[in-house]
Amino acid sequence: MELKRVVVTGLGALTPIGNTVEAYWEGLKRGQSGAAPITRFDASKFKTRFACELKDFDVQQFIDRRDARRMDLFTQYAIVASDEALRDANLIGDGAHEMNPDRAGVIWGSGIGGFQTFMSEARDFYAGDGTPRFSPFFIPMMISDIAAGQISMRHGYRGPNFCTVSACASGTNAMIDAFNYIRLGKADVIVTGGSEAAVTEGGIGGFNALKALSTRNDECERASRPFDSTRDGFVLGEGAGAVILESYDHAVARGATIYAEMVGGGMSADAHHLTAPHPEGLGARNVMRSALEDAGMSPEDVDYVNVHGTSTPLGDVAETLAIKEVFGDHAYKLSISSTKSMTGHLLGAAGAIEGIASILAVKHGVIPPTINFEHPDEEIDQALDLTLNEAKERPVRAALSNTFGFGGHNASVIFKAFH
């Protein structure tokens, strides 16, 4: 069968450096750090006392107070970002295009789901006398799929509806599934992306126990430093990113504005270690090659790679080795950057906001920087263009975005300029 073309017609972002797509993109271009001391709880006894939290977020500006109280933060974030994307695509709001709700779906990603709800309910139970008094909304607020369900109920979309859970690859996996459903003709429009709200005692404490987080408490805004030899772990972030994927025919028929075309997605597994990447980047090599093959593209067709780039000692080395292996001599003509240097690591939402950064790089011809770089790492090839500390203008025909998760889950997507 002939596969349908899939295009991007709407974007929504709720990030530690901006609560809209416009603010997020401006923050990326100027190299803004979203890291700051934790305000969500008293972190004074933790090894890491900072994170990339949202700034000035008031859910009551977007969601009725009663409804918001029945949603975990990760679902609230999903609702806000998806509403922005749907407005951007002219699918909700004044003068919105009407579409068949049976052909509209929601495929959302979250690595953890309702972490804050789980922490709160468990804390209340163990602080009591052992009598089981749980909120009737405990389970519906906690489960990872509920964000997709809430978005569909909010807008009446009755097409494909589910959640992908693959740790830090969740948001990217959601986009790949949405892409496949549309190009196979199973839906006309799908709201996709991911959200996460893991800045909790359990989130910080758990990642500290894994020695995965930076402990650069005295200069937290400089803690996320991918490729730098003094990097000591990632910075936990929170938020959401939403992308409206639509069949080309449906988008053109309704006169939609098109940001870019999604042309391929790849998935692989390291099959190596619980938390560490394959040291030679084997899974990363396979997933990028899979995405290129799916898109029918050669390595030379790609101008930008938004790397997973978490600022961990092992991960950054493995990923750059994989890029050199996949792209060969063209690796030195690519622009490469890690936007996690600014946003921190949004776990299951990382692929969504980094996919948005890649789409906007294609549309505007701007490569967001990798900030906080000071000290070269002899294990990372300094001849690669890592877009260090300052954004760069250049034409971007196509961008590839990588996300890798605990458990060895790898996912890559490719967006190219729309013609």
Side-chain angles (χ1 to χ4, degrees):
M1 65 178 291
E2 183 178 351
L3 297 175
K4 295 179 179 293
R5 293 174 69 183
V6 179
V7 294
V8 177
T9 57
L11 301 173
L14 187 58
T15 80
I17 61 171
N19 293 351
T20 63
V21 169
E22 181 180 7
Y24 170 50
W25 181 237
E26 289 302 315
L28 288 176
K29 289 191 294 182
R30 65 173 177 265
Q32 177 182 341
S33 172
I38 290 170
T39 63
R40 190 70 47 71
F41 60 90
D42 180 4
S44 60
K45 295 182 180 180
F46 287 76
K47 292 178 182 177
T48 296
R49 299 187 290 277
F50 61 94
C52 287
E53 296 177 315
L54 298 184
K55 318 295 189 295
D56 303 316
F57 175 70
D58 179 5
V59 69
Q60 293 184 55
Q61 294 180 7
F62 308 97
I63 306 172
D64 177 79
R65 181 172 179 270
R66 179 173 175 271
D67 291 339
R69 290 180 62 188
R70 297 177 177 181
M71 299 177 188
D72 187 87
L73 279 177
F74 95 103
T75 301
Q76 295 178 12
Y77 298 167
I79 292 290
V80 173
S82 60
D83 274 8
E84 182 188 9
L86 286 164
R87 282 193 300 272
D88 187 38
N90 195 33
L91 292 173
I92 62 171
D94 295 338
H97 174 83
E98 291 186 9
M99 61 176 174
N100 181 354
D102 295 333
R103 300 279 301 169
V106 184
I107 302 177
W108 202 253
S110 184
I112 298 178
F115 205 166
Q116 186 181 68
T117 296
F118 183 87
M119 292 284 299
S120 176
E121 291 287 320
R123 185 185 300 113
D124 290 348
F125 174 73
Y126 287 110
D129 60 6
T131 303
R133 297 185 182 93
F134 290 90
S135 166
F137 297 102
F138 173 30
I139 300 301
M141 289 172 66
M142 180 194 70
I143 51 180
S144 297
D145 69 290
I146 204 65
Q150 288 278 16
I151 295 167
S152 71
M153 288 184 281
R154 185 174 179 87
H155 301 293
Y157 297 161
R158 297 191 292 265
N161 185 272
F162 59 90
C163 172
T164 57
V165 181
S166 49
C168 307
S170 300
T172 303
N173 277 134
M175 289 189 288
I176 292 171
D177 279 357
F179 170 63
N180 285 330
Y181 271 82
I182 293 171
R183 67 176 174 169
L184 288 170
K186 304 292 186 181
D188 296 325
V189 177
I190 294 182
V191 184
T192 188
S195 57
E196 207 79 90
V199 182
T200 65
E201 297 92 332
I204 295 294
F207 283 120
N208 269 159
L210 284 170
K211 302 187 186 306
L213 293 181
S214 171
T215 56
R216 195 181 287 261
N217 294 296
D218 294 336
E219 49 174 1
C220 59
E221 71 282 356
R222 301 180 63 77
S224 185
R225 43 181 52 222
F227 313 126
D228 189 285
S229 64
T230 63
R231 65 192 182 278
D232 68 330
F234 73 84
V235 178
L236 188 60
E238 64 172 356
V243 176
I244 306 303
L245 292 182
E246 188 167 352
S247 75
Y248 166 79
D249 293 340
H250 190 270
V252 169
R254 70 180 186 88
T257 299
I258 295 173
Y259 282 93
E261 184 171 0
M262 185 169 174
V263 290
M267 294 175 281
S268 76
D270 279 1
H272 169 69
H273 188 272
L274 197 64
T275 59
H278 190 282
E280 298 174 4
L282 179 60
R285 295 203 310 258
N286 289 344
V287 77
M288 286 187 278
R289 284 174 173 153
S290 177
L292 287 166
E293 181 181 358
D294 191 43
M297 298 172 69
S298 69
E300 291 74 24
D301 295 326
V302 175
D303 293 318
Y304 172 48
V305 176
N306 185 298
V307 292
H308 187 56
T310 55
S311 186
T312 55
L314 296 177
D316 293 0
V317 173
E319 189 169 9
T320 53
L321 289 173
I323 288 170
K324 290 171 63 175
E325 181 72 22
V326 171
F327 289 93
D329 291 342
H330 186 64
Y332 299 97
K333 299 175 184 178
L334 289 169
S335 288
I336 298 166
S337 72
S338 171
T339 48
K340 286 186 180 73
S341 60
M342 295 171 276
T343 65
H345 191 353
L346 270 65
L347 308 180
I353 66 165
E354 290 158 21
I356 291 168
S358 301
I359 291 163
L360 294 174
V362 169
K363 181 172 177 60
H364 298 296
V366 177
I367 308 298
T370 305
I371 68 168
N372 296 329
F373 183 87
E374 296 175 295
H375 310 285
D377 183 340
E378 63 181 17
E379 294 189 72
I380 294 175
D381 190 340
Q382 297 304 304
L384 295 171
D385 176 12
L386 303 174
T387 320
L388 300 173
N389 298 322
E390 292 186 0
K392 173 191 292 188
E393 293 187 8
R394 66 165 289 179
V396 182
R397 295 167 298 162
L400 182 149
S401 179
N402 284 333
T403 46
F404 313 140
F406 283 179
H409 311 294
N410 307 307
S412 299
V413 289
I414 299 177
F415 300 96
K416 74 173 186 180
F418 173 74
H419 299 292

